[in-house]
Amino acid sequence: MATATAESSLSTVQGDGHKRKKNALSDGQGRLAWMLLAPTLLVILVVAGIPVAMSIRESFFLSNTGVDPSTGLIASGEKFVGLQNFAAIFSDQDLVRGNWGSIGRFFNAFWNTTAITVVCVIAETIIGVAMALIMAKAFRGKGLVRAGILVPWAIPTIVSALMWKLIFDANGVMNKILGTQILWLADNVPAFWAVFIADVWKTAPFIGLLTLAGLQTIPAEVYEAAKVDGATTWQQFVRITLPMVRPTLVVAVLFRTLDTLRMFDLPYGMVGPGKYHVETLSIFSYLEATQSRYGPAAAYAIILFLYVLLIAFLFVRILGADLISDPDLKKTKKKKKTDGDASDAASPTALEMAGGAH
Amino acid sequence: MSTTASEARTESHLSADEIAALAHPKPSPKARIGLIASYVGMAVIVLYCIVPFYWMVVSSLRLPTEGLSTELIPRPASTENYVAVFGPGNNFGRSLVNSVIVSGTTTILTLLFGIVAAYALARLKFRGKGGVLWLIMACSMFPLVVLLPPLLKMFSSTEPFTWFPYWINTYQSVILPGLSFGLPLAVWNLTAFFKQLPVELEQAAMVDGCTPGVAFRKVILPLAAPGVVTTAIIVFIGSWNEFLLALTFLQDPSRQTATVAISKFTGSTGFDTPYGTIMAAGVLVTVPLLIAVLIFQRRIVAGLTAGGVK
């Protein structure tokens, strides 16, 4: 339906619109919509589209180094090197010792990024869902809890990094509580877990908030019916809560996953740059770029970008993360599929969650 | 169900006391345990969120020489760290001003562009809407570090960008790339808010002879003001907390934003990390945000759940 209206509004002159006007709100909208969207799309093109394209180009180039034999001056400019920046990832020239034994620095950063994302997102999801369940049950004091839960979110990540740096200091309070003498922030395995704890602290409440919004869309009648049928609390959780909160949770987990994949501030602030046990792809690429090794930096950033795209794609395809959730679009999609997908329409989604939270 | 039951009893002439007793049934032991458990759970959540922050506040109130003390309450309490933050070596006051300029400009630009775009996405039907939504979503997802190599090269006028003005240490070098995450965030939030307003409002306005543009300006915009404020706060906080762009492009201490300045604090005394000063600065940077968040907490939670938060 939406397609048809758009087509007619594009093909007809706006003047004769009142003759066959079915819906005052959907006439001549195509042109107006694009006019309203033009500034935003232009800005996105300039500040994101073009730089990303430039970054892709950059990844095939390498800055000239050394002395230019023809002029005797220090070489400047750059040369096209094809896939050399990508191929260099597999060379054994830049071996480092991190969590994964002696491997190339890129792969070290890649596996660090992957590992921290997996462990953080799993822990955040479990803690976040637990928080949401507790908050959903609460009778009084919801405002207080909500205020508290926003504290970790509002603290700038770099400030929270320095805060945890103090807590994890060798002479700090964490060692005192645990009664240990661990050097948390040296370039070692405990540093990885220190970063893990700091990230989970900051972002689990966020998953809790999103999940709570999803929980509040579940009608109480469903639970009452389950109780009448004699379902235990655990059965209610597994059979009702989880399936019904799943669309919300999948979107929340997707956001967290993509965010953790580009982690920079926490390891940089807590442990420092060039520490191989916590070096993520973002940090590695940043360090390369600031040392004027633009080509390799771009290559690593592009790989990270593709990695992020792949994960997002898998979430949408396999887990059915509904990010867009526009009812108009759903209608057209359904028309194309010829028969409707009932579960698709029933699920609360990212955009609709905003309404549910009020 | 319970209401129908009590109504039925009301008809069979129960005394007022009995009705009151039915309205507030005595909790069974099991329900009471559940209630206690939920309070304990909530206390655990609040402690989880607050305790590390409490540690930051407490550490900022110690004597500068006792930065690593593990006393729960600072003895003696001291505001010396807060004085030291504004010491000449740190440039902290200046960095706060820089942060306000950068975040403020980013927020205003984002809203200017975002409001009209969000209105189109929330209300109008047009071909290519799905594509636009995906584009904006994709824009909020990509890693910021992708922008660094070409922009660093460009802003520092390195070959082949010798034609480009030298933009390192300028505000625009952080504001413009910052739009790439601020704008999708704003569009996403505002679209959700506009969608909550009933379409009938504009329809009524249009029946009264308004064009869609006028209906938007005179009817929708005033009603969406709370949503706009919330979005402004969320974008402002996101921009205020931004670190990677500022770290890369703002190298001159007099141009650094607060987040970068804090990360570069060095002690005036010896080689120890000046934890007390850093924590004091951290508290100063965080408290304005916390106040805004606490005032607008309901709306911010609603805005956050609209998705796309970096």
Side-chain angles (χ1 to χ4, degrees), chain B residues 133-181:
Chain B
L133 286 169
W134 274 112
L135 180 77
I136 290 171
M137 179 49 86
C139 191
S140 73
M141 281 176 180
F142 80 92
L144 218 47
V145 75
V146 176
L147 302 182
L148 290 189
L151 291 188
L152 191 58
K153 212 170 166 183
M154 202 163 157
F155 293 168
S156 57
S157 307
T158 316
E159 269 192 82
F161 296 105
T162 41
W163 52 271
F164 199 84
Y166 189 77
W167 268 17
I168 300 293
N169 296 327
T170 59
Y171 294 131
Q172 64 266 31
S173 70
V174 219
I175 292 169
L176 290 179
L179 291 178
S180 73
F181 71 81

Side-chain angles (χ1 to χ4, degrees), chain A:
Chain A
M1 193 193 85
T3 330
T5 354
E7 257 167 9
S8 62
S9 66
L10 279 177
S11 57
T12 50
V13 192
Q14 249 154 330
D16 66 5
H18 62 274
K19 264 189 176 175
R20 35 138 286 267
K21 202 177 272 180
K22 265 191 205 163
N23 176 2
L25 281 173
S26 61
D27 222 51
Q29 289 190 350
R31 189 184 296 182
L32 178 64
W34 287 110
M35 263 167 55
L36 296 178
L37 283 170
T40 294
L41 294 179
L42 194 69
V43 169
I44 287 180
L45 179 73
V46 171
V47 302
I50 293 176
V52 168
M54 282 162 66
S55 206
I56 294 172
R57 176 200 166 273
E58 197 69 52
S59 67
F60 298 113
F61 283 80
L62 202 55
S63 301
N64 290 323
T65 50
V67 176
D68 190 336
S70 59
T71 58
L73 298 169
I74 289 176
S76 61
E78 54 184 5
K79 60 174 185 290
F80 181 76
V81 293
L83 289 171
Q84 193 185 308
N85 289 328
F86 293 94
I89 289 166
F90 299 96
S91 76
D92 288 342
Q93 291 190 344
D94 202 6
L95 291 184
V96 298
R97 278 215 156 268
N99 301 310
W100 322 98
S102 180
I103 57 171
R105 190 168 171 188
F106 171 84
F107 280 106
N108 179 63
F110 180 83
W111 290 119
N112 279 345
T113 308
T114 308
I116 198 90
T117 304
V118 170
V119 292
C120 280
V121 170
I122 289 174
E124 285 158 23
T125 309
I126 293 170
I127 296 175
V129 169
M131 284 180 169
L133 290 173
I134 292 169
M135 287 187 285
K137 283 266 179 340
F139 301 100
R140 254 177 282 165
K142 264 187 188 172
L144 180 73
V145 177
R146 193 171 41 205
I149 234 170
L150 283 171
V151 169
W153 173 77
I155 294 181
T157 313
I158 186 68
V159 171
S160 92
L162 298 167
M163 180 182 90
W164 285 101
K165 188 180 175 185
L166 166 68
I167 293 173
F168 278 115
D169 192 282
N171 300 315
V173 68
M174 187 57 94
N175 270 341
K176 196 187 173 197
I177 292 171
L178 297 176
T180 50
Q181 288 291 316
I182 300 170
L183 292 172
W184 289 98
L185 302 175
D187 192 3
N188 54 12
V189 177
F192 180 88
W193 294 107
V195 171
F196 160 78
I197 290 171
D199 191 63
V200 170
W201 173 76
K202 190 161 166 42
T203 51
F206 172 72
I207 292 198
L209 276 181
L210 291 181
T211 311
L212 180 64
L215 283 180
Q216 285 167 342
T217 62
I218 304 176
E221 289 83 1
V222 184
Y223 289 105
E224 278 166 24
K227 261 182 222 159
V228 170
D229 290 347
T232 63
T233 314
W234 176 250
Q235 280 172 327
Q236 286 176 34
F237 176 70
V238 174
R239 296 288 175 84
I240 300 173
T241 312
L242 274 187
M244 292 200 76
V245 87
R246 184 174 166 262
T248 318
L249 196 57
V250 168
V251 172
V253 169
L254 172 60
F255 284 144
R256 282 308 318 146
T257 307
L258 301 188
D259 206 18
T260 320
L261 281 174
R262 56 182 174 231
M263 182 190 279
F264 178 87
D265 303 16
L266 269 185
Y268 185 93
M270 281 175 76
V271 191
K275 301 292 166 65
Y276 299 128
H277 280 84
V278 293
E279 187 169 81
T280 61
L281 279 176
S282 279
I283 294 181
F284 185 29
S285 175
Y286 161 82
L287 290 175
E288 293 282 83
T290 48
Q291 283 157 20
S292 301
R293 288 170 44 79
Y294 302 111
Y300 307 147
I302 293 298
I303 292 173
L304 175 62
F305 190 12
L306 293 177
Y307 194 25
V308 164
L309 279 182
L310 175 73
I311 300 291
F313 178 79
L314 291 180
F315 262 82
V316 172
R317 269 297 143 90
I318 294 175
L319 294 174
D322 188 359
L323 293 172
I324 302 298
S325 74
D326 190 282
D328 296 342
L329 298 174
K330 258 183 205 154
K331 261 182 240 159
T332 40
K333 211 192 270 172
K334 233 173 249 172
K335 212 171 142 195
K336 274 180 210 156
K337 273 198 243 165
T338 64
D339 64 327
D341 185 351
S343 67
D344 192 42
S347 55
T349 49
L351 271 183
E352 287 155 16
M353 272 154 55
H358 269 289

